[in-house]
Amino acid sequence: MTALPPARILAIETSCDETAAAVLENGRALLASTVASQMDIHARYGGVFPEVASRQHILSIVPVVEQTLSQAHLALGDINAIAVTRGPGLAGSLLVGLNLAKGLALGADLPLVGVNHLEGHLYSAWVYDSPPQGGNAGETPPPEPQFPLMALLVSGGHTELNLMEDYLKYKRLGATLDDAAGEAFDKVARLLQLGYPGGPAIQKAAEEGDPAAIHFPRAWLEGSWDFSFSGVKTAVLREIKRLEDEGKPIPVANMAASFQAAVVEVLLNKTLKAARQFGAKEILVAGGVSANKALRQAFQAQKEFPMHIPPLSLCTDNAAMVAAAGYFRFALGQTDGLEIDVLPTWPLS
Ligand code: KG4
Ligand code: ZN
């Protein structure tokens, strides 16, 4: 890390339903970050409505970037490169961010770095708060994650285990065969009529419930590093149907807690097993589902491996993580030309 050059990155993220910008120094120190969420707008549709998302990004992106620069007390002339999420995500939404990033790069004569959103999530673990006003002045930065690192990515669209061997070097071990963990939370929340987004709603309902009340199945998929969450979702549906047929009330809190426990147990055990088998020094968990309290407690309770899990504000979509990944790409000479296009489907490795 000390060998890498200092640089200030301005990053833009518009892959889904958050319009976000951030300024980050040297891949870790977060000077400013803005996230304009569209959640309330999409909640009425029960999920993200792509056309509405693009339109909202168009309305929000310029004010979001301006506010972020002003919070950092910086102008474009103080920035060394523009990073932007290029994919995966909604094509129309990605285009809004990429086009603004290209315009800024061209206008200010700055290098452009297209970032993979999944890589961004992983690099959220590098970021720490460092406001220009000195709110955290003098605070020692948290330890930097050490390679080889076993990285579990759990978001709304992806669940995968990667061995991070070095900066920007990934060995994909396995991924979900069906629903992503976040998708399972969202679908089960819908079954339990808890609303959207489902993850936080399940977590809240689960606080009043007993995680051992109902034994939902765990898909271990022995012999592979893949995951599957459609079975547990179907088991929840079957249990609801059974209770309804018998005219019994649905124990929502117990079902939420038991479902959450089943998902967390599989994620934790498989990650630990992979970390041992591949000789990882540490474990990293990132993505929207890493905001889950039960998951954080379970991973933090194990003492076998040092743990990196981003602060809550960096678990769900944000631009600080895009700036962090963008910094390492920039520092290692991996910049892009202005001709790059969005990549709505773009695997990490
Ligand atoms: O990373 P993210 O913000 O967006 C994607 O890149 O997909 O992840 C969103 C997902 C949603 O499925 C949401 O329900 C889930 O993360 N999520 C949670 C929690 N907060 C967000 N899942 C469980 N517990 C939470 N507290
Ligand atoms: Zn995300």
Side-chain angles (χ1 to χ4, degrees):
M1 169 84 186
T2 42
L4 298 179
R8 247 185 233 134
I9 308 288
L10 168 66
I12 293 171
E13 152 67 40
T14 61
S15 68
C16 191
D17 61 342
E18 324 279 0
T19 315
V23 179
L24 186 84
E25 229 165 37
N26 307 334
R28 299 202 66 197
L30 183 58
L31 303 184
S33 173
T34 313
V35 180
S37 175
Q38 306 176 2
M39 205 177 293
D40 293 346
I41 298 163
H42 298 288
R44 73 183 82 131
Y45 305 107
V48 179
F49 198 121
E51 284 79 4
V52 175
S54 327
R55 228 173 301 141
Q56 283 301 317
H57 286 307
I58 291 171
L59 294 175
S60 309
I61 190 64
V62 172
V64 161
V65 169
E66 283 174 346
Q67 184 185 321
T68 307
L69 280 170
S70 123
Q71 258 173 25
H73 300 300
L74 296 172
L76 264 185
D78 304 310
I79 300 295
N80 301 103
I82 308 282
V84 60
T85 305
R86 196 182 166 190
L90 302 169
S93 292
L94 289 164
L95 268 172
V96 177
L98 181 60
N99 282 327
L100 179 66
K102 284 183 185 179
L104 292 173
L106 185 65
D109 195 21
L110 291 171
L112 179 72
V113 188
V115 170
N116 183 306
H117 180 84
L118 310 179
E119 182 165 78
H121 271 303
L122 297 181
Y123 277 90
S124 61
W126 267 256
V127 178
Y128 66 91
D129 261 336
S130 181
Q133 231 88 67
N136 285 14
E139 189 188 301
T140 324
E144 190 179 345
Q146 298 296 308
F147 304 112
L149 191 59
M150 188 52 65
L152 173 69
L153 171 68
V154 272
S155 70
H158 296 82
T159 294
E160 49 181 80
L161 255 182
N162 281 281
L163 179 65
M164 291 176 78
E165 298 167 304
D166 201 346
Y167 292 114
L168 314 177
K169 273 189 80 186
Y170 312 93
K171 185 173 181 178
R172 181 170 147 143
L173 305 178
T176 184
L177 301 177
D178 38 58
D179 293 342
E183 202 178 346
F185 268 93
D186 293 335
K187 287 179 176 172
V188 166
R190 210 171 302 149
L191 293 176
L192 294 173
Q193 297 183 4
L194 290 170
Y196 167 87
I202 295 262
Q203 173 177 312
K204 188 155 183 284
E207 276 165 17
E208 309 295 321
D210 174 7
I214 307 152
H215 185 83
F216 287 126
R218 275 84 167 143
W220 292 112
L221 308 183
E222 293 292 349
S224 103
W225 301 109
D226 289 331
F227 298 93
S228 166
F229 295 107
S230 71
V232 60
K233 177 195 66 192
T234 310
V236 172
L237 176 63
R238 247 189 267 117
E239 182 66 4
I240 293 173
K241 284 240 157 71
R242 185 184 68 81
L243 291 164
E244 279 174 352
D245 289 348
E246 292 173 11
K248 292 182 180 157
I250 312 290
V252 173
N254 279 349
M255 290 189 73
S258 301
F259 160 77
Q260 184 175 262
V263 172
V264 169
E265 189 182 323
V266 173
L267 292 172
L268 173 68
N269 286 10
K270 288 199 84 145
T271 306
L272 284 175
K273 201 169 161 189
R276 282 179 210 123
Q277 186 150 328
F278 290 89
K281 277 195 195 143
E282 301 182 345
I283 286 176
L284 183 164
V285 186
V289 182
S290 67
N292 185 266
K293 207 167 149 189
L295 179 143
R296 297 172 81 87
Q297 283 170 350
F299 274 87
Q300 276 155 351
Q302 65 76 34
K303 298 294 171 212
E304 197 179 338
F305 295 93
M307 241 342 272
H308 298 274
I309 190 158
L312 287 180
S313 60
L314 298 181
C315 291
T316 45
D317 290 348
N318 63 85
M321 67 187 206
V322 177
Y327 165 77
F328 289 104
R329 294 241 162 236
F330 170 73
L332 295 166
Q334 300 181 29
T335 57
D336 293 294
L338 291 178
E339 75 288 349
I340 60 167
D341 205 350
V342 298
L343 295 170
T345 308
W346 187 13
L348 178 62
S349 58

